[in-house]
């Protein structure tokens, strides 16, 4: 009976603590809810973009602040690139010492550009108000109140169509999770920067706010959905929203119809803030708040959450107590982790599907303590009995010396299963001259190969690949066995590019050592193969067999012929264009095959290449070249080929030289009019 009373008392104490809800529990709760934000996949709105003024921008354009005539030119340049609205989260509180205020005022008057103002703890108010319609109870005492505000100089304030409050409101732990949509200075309400952006985007002249006895409930721009807020007019930010970022000093992207946030990210000019997803710049806060409101996905913590959390804590803890104290131990051992997982994923489901922030941490704490105390009390009770009847229980205890369990004999059987794998073959090109360097030092050659193979192996395994075998200087690896790898194609291509990047670093070291550089070719192919333990009864390996394996090896061999570092089979390249720059190379029947297969290459990710080259036009030109080539329009193909020679930063030059030589040869052959365009390889 004693164990029941103590367990129940512990549950009541824990629930009482939750009912009182001291400040440290609020911090724990917020930290737990942060996990849902971190689990989200990053997304971006098509109509939001950030143009940053970074360190390189200042190197090219001079120190900050610029004179306002120069800034005006940059604003005009953004609109000329198609911007629908420009957001300048900058405080223009003092006149321009270079006398450019009139120019900037004209630009603000003629464009839908939003500038900033800030609340202060000092008295004095030069802020710019905005019309607001309030409905319900008085908002005083609920909206964040400041003694004063600093706005732009009168000339800019008068000409600007939008002025928003730049404000950050960290939580108790210094992490920003919410953002005020409205603040009060004296007896007037001022919209936040994100609220002004939404108002300007809708073309409205004001906004609306609804309050009740429990504080602020909603804000609204008439053309958008209601925005649910907490009692102080804050919205919970959805941090999965990120804005594409481009530097102001570089060529601007197409900004047609986009909301452009100008962000100063140069060192010392902008303070990054802590958020659930890490330290980010203020433009990401603005972008997240605008995206949260525009998409209508409004994260909230409803009024019933406290009661639901308290009720689930009490009910589940009571259930665990009964199970642990009455049923065999394994029931509690199963139910406890199941309850923890269920609480987390239940909270995650409510967040993902319904945008509710429901705490899972304190119910987990309550359940864990209740389970631990009940288990401890039951253990102590049973231990006491066990000591009294020790001899009766000795044969139930594990022996002092236990044998190790043998492995499952089924794993030792030969054969395997059919699975779709992505296979990688990587081989060193020109290995003979490299080995000749070490003809008097075979150990040196071994060390060199190990310097090459070790990091390549690490890259493959880090990206969830399985090393099949080493064949001298060749690596064979695959993805999706023995464990499922959902993104097998992407990870295989990603590994290939990382291997090439590491090889560049290794070659820098080899050059310093007066050694020949290492060049490699990589072949990737995806298809159904048989994978499992293969060999003889005396010796076997975990490996794979199938036509897809042979084709991957052949593609690696063709990488030298085509002058490319990476060659992909069609199934590997499929649906990878969103992340990687994929180019079709040819239709080839590899040696030993009669049917042709399309082969491709990957030049890298869009994210990495977009900063060093403009490849969109070149991609279309490349497709035109292949079209003419397959139509036997040799002169047109050669003309397009010449234009492509120096595109893609020269990464395709060897390929184009090879194709030019091939066309010269094909022109001499009597090809049929219905030529299938398949090149018949004569070498492996």
């Amino acid at each position: 009976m004693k164990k029941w009373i103590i367990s129940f008392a512990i549950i009541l104490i824990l629930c009482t603590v939750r009912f009182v809800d001291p400040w440290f529990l609020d911090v724990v709760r917020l930290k737990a809810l942060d996990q849902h934000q971190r689990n989200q996949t990053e997304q971006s709105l098509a109509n939001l973009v950030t143009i940053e003024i970074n360190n390189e921008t200042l190197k090219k354009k001079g120190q900050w602040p610029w004179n306002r005539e120069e800034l005006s030119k940059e604003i005009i340049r953004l609109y000329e690139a198609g911007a629908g609205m420009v957001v300048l989260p900058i405080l223009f509180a003092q006149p321009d010492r270079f006398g450019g205020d009139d120019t900037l005022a004209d630009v603000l008057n003629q464009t839908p550009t939003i500038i900033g103002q800030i609340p202060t703890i000092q008295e004095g108010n030069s802020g710019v108000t905005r019309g607001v319609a309030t409905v319900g109870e008085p908002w005083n005492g609920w909206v964040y109140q400041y003694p004063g505000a600093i706005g732009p100089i009168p000339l800019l304030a008068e000409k600007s169509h939008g002025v928003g409050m730049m404000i950050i409101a960290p939580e108790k732990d210094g992490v920003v999770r919410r953002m005020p949509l409205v603040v009060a200075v004296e007896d007037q309400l001022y919209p936040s920067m994100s609220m002004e952006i939404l108002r300007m985007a809708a073309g409205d002249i004001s906004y609306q706010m609804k309050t009740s006895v429990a504080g602020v409930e909603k804000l609204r721009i008439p053309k958008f959905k209601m925005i649910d807020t907490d009692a102080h007019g804050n919205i919970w930010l959805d941090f999965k929203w990120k804005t594409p970022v481009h530097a102001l000093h570089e060529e601007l992207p197409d900004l047609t119809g986009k909301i452009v946030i100008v962000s100063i990210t140069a060192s010392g000019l902008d303070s990054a803030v802590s958020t659930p997803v890490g330290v980010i710049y203020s433009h990401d806060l603005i972008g997240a708040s605008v995206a949260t409101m525009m998409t209508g996905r409004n994260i909230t913590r409803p009024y019933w959450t406290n009661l639901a959390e308290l009720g689930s804590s009490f009910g589940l803890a009571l259930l665990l107590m009964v199970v642990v104290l009455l049923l065999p131990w394994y029931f509690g051992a199963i139910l406890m982790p199941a309850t923890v997982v269920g609480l987390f994923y239940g909270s995650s489901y409510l967040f993902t599907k319904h945008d509710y922030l429901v705490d899972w941490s304190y119910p987990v704490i309550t359940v864990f303590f209740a389970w631990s105390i009940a288990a401890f009390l039951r253990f102590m009770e049973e231990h006491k009995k066990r000591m009294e009847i020790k001899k009766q229980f000795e044969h139930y205890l594990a022996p002092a010396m236990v044998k190790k369990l043998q492995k499952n004999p089924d794993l030792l059987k030969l054969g395997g299963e059919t699975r779709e794998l992505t296979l990688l073959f990587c081989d060193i090109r020109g290995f003979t001259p490299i080995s000749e360097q070490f003809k008097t030092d075979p150990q040196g050659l071994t060390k060199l190969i190990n310097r090459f193979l070790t990091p390549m192996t690490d890259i493959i395994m880090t990206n969830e690949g399985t090393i099949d075998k080493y064949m001298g200087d060749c690596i064979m690896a695959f993805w999706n066995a023995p464990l499922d790898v959902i993104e097998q194609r992407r990870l295989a291509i990603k590994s290939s590019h990382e291997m090439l990047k590491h090889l560049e670093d290794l070659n820098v070291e080899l050059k310093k050592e007066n050694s020949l550089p290492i060049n490699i070719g990589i072949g990737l192919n995806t298809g159904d193969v048989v994978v499992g333990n293969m060999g003889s009864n005396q010796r076997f390996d975990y490996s794979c067999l199938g036509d897809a394996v042979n084709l991957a090896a052949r593609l690696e061999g063709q990488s030298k012929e085509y002058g490319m570092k990476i060659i992909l089979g069609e199934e590997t390249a499929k649906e990878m264009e969103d992340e990687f720059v994929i180019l079709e190379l040819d239709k080839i029947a590899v040696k030993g095959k009669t049917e042709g297969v399309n082969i491709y290459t990957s030049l890298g990710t869009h994210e990495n290449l977009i900063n060093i080259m403009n490849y969109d036009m070149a991609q279309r030109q490349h497709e035109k070249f292949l079209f003419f080539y397959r139509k036997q329009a040799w002169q047109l193909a050669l003309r397009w080929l010449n234009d492509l020679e120096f595109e893609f930063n020269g990464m395709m030059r060897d390929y184009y030289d090879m194709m030019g030589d091939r066309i010269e040869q094909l022109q001499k052959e009597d090809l049929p009019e219905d030529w299938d365009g398949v090149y018949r390889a004569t070498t492996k």
Side-chain angles (χ1 to χ4, degrees):
M1 187 64 181
K2 184 177 179 181
K3 63 184 179 184
W4 288 91
I5 295 174
I6 295 175
S7 297
F8 189 71
I10 293 295
I11 293 174
L12 288 179
I13 292 172
L14 291 170
C15 290
T16 301
V17 172
R18 175 61 184 86
F19 180 79
V20 175
D21 201 21
W23 69 269
F24 63 85
L25 281 191
D26 190 33
V27 173
V28 172
R29 179 164 52 248
L30 291 171
K31 294 291 187 184
L33 295 174
D34 288 348
Q35 188 62 42
H36 298 326
Q37 295 273 16
R38 288 191 287 270
N39 287 343
Q40 296 192 101
T41 302
E42 287 188 5
Q43 298 182 33
S44 59
L45 279 184
N47 61 344
L48 272 179
V49 68
T50 295
I51 302 296
E52 66 174 353
I53 300 172
N54 56 25
N55 291 332
E56 291 300 316
T57 307
L58 297 189
K59 286 181 182 178
K60 292 182 178 295
K61 293 185 175 292
Q63 67 181 22
W64 184 264
W66 301 331
N67 73 71
R68 290 175 189 169
E69 284 191 0
E70 179 65 24
L71 184 59
S72 300
K73 293 177 183 177
E74 296 298 336
I75 297 172
I76 292 171
R77 192 164 73 96
L78 294 173
Y79 281 108
E80 288 175 345
M85 180 192 305
V86 174
V87 180
L88 290 175
I90 301 172
L91 178 63
F92 298 103
Q94 302 295 331
D96 184 11
R97 63 183 182 275
F98 299 111
D101 288 323
D102 289 335
T103 303
L104 180 57
D106 287 341
V107 172
L108 296 179
N109 186 44
Q110 297 172 27
T111 61
T113 303
I114 300 175
I115 59 177
Q117 57 188 348
I118 60 171
T120 70
I121 58 174
Q122 299 175 348
E123 294 184 357
N125 184 6
S126 60
V128 179
T129 59
R130 184 66 55 199
V132 56
T134 59
V135 180
E137 300 297 321
W139 51 264
N140 306 79
W142 293 106
V143 176
Y144 291 145
Q145 183 80 38
Y146 289 87
I150 300 177
I153 61 174
L155 175 62
L156 301 183
E158 179 184 349
K159 297 296 184 180
S160 177
H161 297 285
V163 182
M165 277 289 181
M166 300 180 294
I167 182 171
I168 296 173
E171 307 287 349
K172 299 178 179 70
D173 58 352
V175 176
V176 175
R177 299 179 180 88
R178 289 176 275 192
M179 179 175 285
L181 295 185
V182 63
V183 296
V185 178
E186 297 174 343
D187 293 325
Q188 292 182 312
L189 294 173
Y190 293 78
S192 68
M193 181 65 75
S194 53
M195 199 69 182
E196 274 290 84
I197 294 172
L198 201 65
R199 181 190 67 80
M200 291 281 289
D204 287 314
I205 61 173
S206 63
Y207 60 100
Q208 301 166 357
M209 183 173 72
K210 181 182 177 182
T211 55
S212 68
V213 293
V216 181
E217 288 186 351
K218 301 176 185 293
L219 278 94
R220 181 171 180 256
I221 301 292
K223 291 185 180 179
F224 287 92
K225 293 182 179 180
M226 287 283 190
I227 305 165
D228 293 322
T229 70
D230 65 12
H232 304 291
N234 296 312
I235 59 166
W236 293 87
L237 297 177
D238 191 348
F239 286 100
K240 76 167 176 288
W241 297 109
K242 301 289 184 183
T243 61
V245 179
H246 306 276
L248 185 63
H249 64 276
E250 297 174 351
E251 182 179 352
L252 294 176
D254 182 11
L255 301 176
T256 302
K258 297 183 185 295
I259 298 172
V260 178
I261 303 170
V262 178
S263 177
I264 307 172
T265 60
S267 302
L269 296 182
D270 188 20
S271 298
V273 296
S274 297
T275 70
V277 295
V279 177
I280 64 176
Y281 286 107
S282 57
H283 67 257
D284 282 322
L285 288 179
I286 297 173
S289 62
V290 173
T292 299
M293 294 187 290
M294 278 188 165
T295 57
R297 182 177 187 253
N298 199 182
I299 300 172
T300 59
R301 184 165 162 78
Y303 66 91
W304 47 262
T305 51
N306 284 319
L307 182 61
E309 292 159 6
L310 185 59
S312 61
S313 297
F314 180 79
L316 291 172
L318 193 63
L319 174 64
L320 259 295
M321 180 191 77
V322 173
V323 169
V324 171
L325 294 181
L326 285 182
L327 300 179
W329 66 270
Y330 48 82
F331 282 94
I334 295 172
L335 187 58
M336 173 59 201
T339 302
V340 171
V341 171
L343 284 167
F344 174 77
Y345 281 102
S347 174
S348 179
Y349 174 82
L350 291 173
F351 177 80
T352 303
K353 298 299 183 181
H354 300 286
D355 309 322
Y356 293 152
L357 287 172
V358 180
D359 180 35
W360 57 273
S361 62
Y362 200 75
V364 166
I365 293 172
T366 305
V367 165
F368 176 77
F369 270 97
W371 174 81
S372 300
I373 294 297
F376 176 74
L377 292 173
R378 178 168 177 172
F379 169 79
M380 291 302 296
E381 183 182 65
E382 293 179 352
H383 180 69
K384 183 178 179 181
K385 293 179 181 178
R386 204 173 287 122
M387 292 298 101
E388 294 174 353
I389 51 174
K390 181 179 179 181
K391 291 182 181 181
Q392 297 181 17
F393 282 86
E394 281 181 345
H395 64 283
Y396 292 111
L397 302 175
M401 299 295 293
V402 294
K403 295 180 181 180
K404 294 183 179 180
L405 295 175
Q406 294 181 341
K407 294 181 179 179
N408 186 345
D410 290 340
L411 298 177
L412 304 178
K413 293 180 180 179
L414 301 180
E417 59 175 333
T418 300
R419 300 185 67 148
E420 182 187 70
L421 303 187
T422 297
L423 302 115
L424 177 148
F425 281 81
C426 171
D427 196 9
I428 295 179
R429 295 178 182 171
F431 185 67
T432 301
I434 293 176
S435 60
E436 285 179 351
Q437 296 179 104
F438 299 94
K439 57 186 176 182
T440 60
D441 182 18
Q443 291 296 328
L445 180 60
T446 301
K447 291 179 182 179
L448 175 63
I449 294 301
N450 288 341
R451 286 175 68 184
F452 166 72
L453 292 177
T454 300
M456 300 301 163
T457 301
D458 290 341
I459 290 169
I460 292 170
M461 296 179 68
T462 300
N463 285 295
E464 304 181 41
T466 300
I467 300 295
D468 185 302
K469 59 178 68 73
Y470 302 105
M471 296 163 283
D473 58 322
C474 177
I475 305 173
M476 175 183 172
F478 52 78
W479 279 259
N480 205 37
L483 300 177
D484 292 338
V485 179
I486 297 174
E487 295 185 301
Q488 53 172 303
R489 295 170 175 82
R490 186 185 72 82
L491 291 173
I493 299 174
K494 177 174 178 284
S495 297
S496 301
H497 287 296
E498 290 178 1
M499 291 164 70
L500 293 175
K501 177 62 175 68
H502 182 84
L503 187 62
E504 292 178 5
D505 299 335
L506 176 59
N507 282 333
V508 171
E509 297 177 10
L510 294 177
K511 184 177 181 180
K512 294 178 181 177
E513 299 167 8
N514 294 320
S515 296
L516 291 175
I518 294 176
N519 293 305
I520 63 173
I522 297 174
L524 293 172
N525 188 45
T526 302
D528 290 337
V529 302
V530 176
V531 60
N533 291 311
M534 299 181 187
S536 66
N537 289 323
Q538 292 79 22
R539 180 175 178 178
F540 51 84
D541 292 312
Y542 189 79
S543 186
C544 55
L545 293 173
D547 185 63
V549 181
N550 299 331
L551 180 56
R554 294 289 187 267
L555 294 182
E556 182 278 317
Q558 289 298 320
S559 65
K560 182 178 180 180
E561 299 298 323
Y562 281 84
M564 301 306 302
K565 301 289 187 183
I566 301 172
I567 292 188
L568 314 175
E570 185 170 5
E571 285 299 314
T572 306
K574 188 181 295 183
E575 298 178 0
M576 290 292 105
E577 296 89 348
D578 288 346
E579 181 171 351
F580 299 97
V581 176
I582 304 291
L583 295 179
E584 184 178 359
L585 296 177
D586 201 1
K587 191 169 186 177
I588 181 175
V590 297
K591 189 173 183 182
K593 291 279 189 179
T594 57
E595 294 184 3
V597 294
N598 291 331
I599 61 173
Y600 302 78
T601 191
S602 171
L603 301 183
T605 63
H606 294 288
E607 181 180 359
N608 290 336
L609 293 182
I610 198 170
N611 294 323
I612 62 174
M613 69 174 75
N614 184 3
Y615 52 82
D616 287 343
M617 182 67 73
Q619 275 187 288
R620 291 191 290 271
Q621 198 168 349
H622 177 86
E623 293 167 3
K624 272 288 189 186
F625 155 69
L626 287 178
F627 173 79
F628 291 133
Y629 168 76
R630 288 165 180 166
K631 290 293 184 180
Q632 302 184 55
W634 306 123
Q635 295 308 314
L636 286 173
L638 288 171
R639 192 177 77 184
W640 285 91
L641 202 63
N642 290 333
D643 292 341
L644 284 164
E645 187 79 15
F646 299 101
E647 296 291 349
F648 304 108
N649 276 23
M651 297 167 70
M652 301 283 290
R653 187 175 302 162
D654 291 343
Y655 164 78
Y656 291 131
D657 289 342
M658 181 276 297
M659 291 298 286
D661 293 340
R662 183 193 292 180
I663 290 173
E664 296 291 342
Q665 181 64 34
L666 290 175
Q667 288 184 93
K668 302 174 184 178
E669 300 182 12
D670 186 18
L671 296 175
E673 290 186 7
D674 60 347
W675 178 53
D676 58 7
V678 176
Y679 174 71
R680 313 285 171 180
T682 57
T683 62
K684 294 183 179 181

